[in-house]
Amino acid sequence: MRSRPSSHPVRIRRTNDEWLASPVGDENAYQLAFTMPEQVEAWITGNEDERVARTRQIKADLLSAITIYDVADKDGEPLVYQLRYAAGSLRHR
């Protein structure tokens, strides 16, 4: 296994149905789409006055680093990628 993950900053967008992460500076290179558990989404969107603060809390606490493991190496060794949230990059679509 690599001793250090391949790491780069990402922007995170939130749509009505999912969250989208893409690399800073080359947003068309790839897009990682994921959802939060229903209870987390309900907590974020439950009160309009608190939605922005709760979204900030989620990105700081849960989305500051996303680690992806892939067994795509020719020797069967896991490849590790770390997506680091770029502060100030959360946008709503």
Side-chain angles (χ1 to χ4, degrees):
M1 183 186 316
R2 293 182 184 176
S3 59
R4 187 170 169 212
S6 175
S7 179
H8 62 272
V10 295
R11 298 201 184 282
I12 298 176
R13 289 173 192 65
R14 183 170 175 245
T15 67
N16 291 335
D17 300 330
E18 61 188 9
W19 297 71
L20 305 169
S22 57
V24 171
D26 191 5
E27 295 184 18
N28 294 321
Y30 71 84
Q31 193 171 69
L32 172 68
F34 57 95
T35 59
M36 292 286 186
E38 184 177 314
Q39 296 85 351
V40 174
E41 284 293 344
W43 177 74
I44 292 170
T45 60
N47 181 330
E48 185 65 29
D49 294 334
E50 296 176 347
R51 181 178 52 83
V52 172
R54 288 179 176 173
T55 300
R56 284 186 184 136
Q57 181 181 357
I58 291 293
K59 70 180 181 180
D61 294 345
L62 301 178
L63 302 176
S64 62
I66 300 170
T67 304
I68 300 171
Y69 298 90
D70 182 16
V71 185
D73 187 308
K74 64 180 176 159
D75 299 322
E77 291 292 319
L79 301 174
V80 181
Y81 305 93
Q82 186 177 64
L83 311 180
R84 292 176 288 103
Y85 167 70
S89 69
L90 182 72
R91 296 186 211 152
H92 293 275
R93 268 193 186 174

